[in-house]
Amino acid sequence: MENDLIINSNEGILEIIFNRPERKNAISRIMFEKMLEVLKRSIHNKDLRGIFVSGSGDSFSAGGDVKDMASKIDTSTLQEKTQSLKSLMQVSKILYTSPVPTVAIINGVAAGAGFAISLSCDFRVSTELGKFTTAFSKVGFSGDFGISYFLSKLVGTSKAKELLYFSDILDAKTALNLDIVNFLIDSKEIE
């Protein structure tokens, strides 16, 4: 669990790497909390020049760890759950409002909250292996982490609703054509 989120900071570049390749880099609550803590601590550092978010292995992130969520008994009230989720969603807000460039590097699946986090970045660079889906409707959740806002800005309201309601899987070229991805690169460039 300690290495589920790798944080590197070097010469003004903050690198955040989801590191659960055996789970398609599904993000646990602990990972969200650590990412939020790192972003809050780093974002006002005058030496910070950029933030890169990526995933290890063959995925960016499959989103929130639904298996982990289902296995825990939560006795919180609805208000407490809502407040907790709002707090974690600051990850997307900080990336979106960052005073320095933010870049998501996608080499595989970007789904649900993982997709939303990539959309909150200024730029999305994908390899030909990139696969994108909102995924929320497949697990009975409404979109979170700002996905409906970011998608609407990029593809328009009608297309965003289509992607949210039907959770189609987009390949990297389709994502590029829809302006979801800014650049396509060869997967060999990030090995």
Side-chain angles (χ1 to χ4, degrees), residues 25-36:
N25 297 320
I27 309 168
S28 67
R29 171 175 279 293
I30 293 169
M31 291 167 67
F32 277 124
E33 289 170 351
K34 183 176 178 185
M35 187 175 180
L36 181 59

Side-chain angles (χ1 to χ4, degrees), residues 110-172:
F115 186 22
I117 289 169
S118 77
L119 293 174
S120 68
C121 292
D122 296 320
F123 302 101
R124 283 151 308 284
V125 177
S126 178
T127 70
E128 73 281 3
L129 304 174
K131 301 273 187 233
F132 303 84
T133 183
T134 59
F136 292 104
S137 67
K138 301 284 187 194
V139 292
F141 292 157
S142 61
D144 53 21
F145 285 82
I147 196 162
S148 58
Y149 175 78
F150 300 128
L151 266 179
S152 294
K153 287 185 70 76
L154 290 171
V155 301
T157 304
S158 180
K159 187 66 175 178
K161 285 180 181 181
E162 177 188 326
L163 293 171
L164 285 164
Y165 292 156
F166 299 111
S167 294
D168 292 338
I169 298 173
L170 308 175
D171 63 28

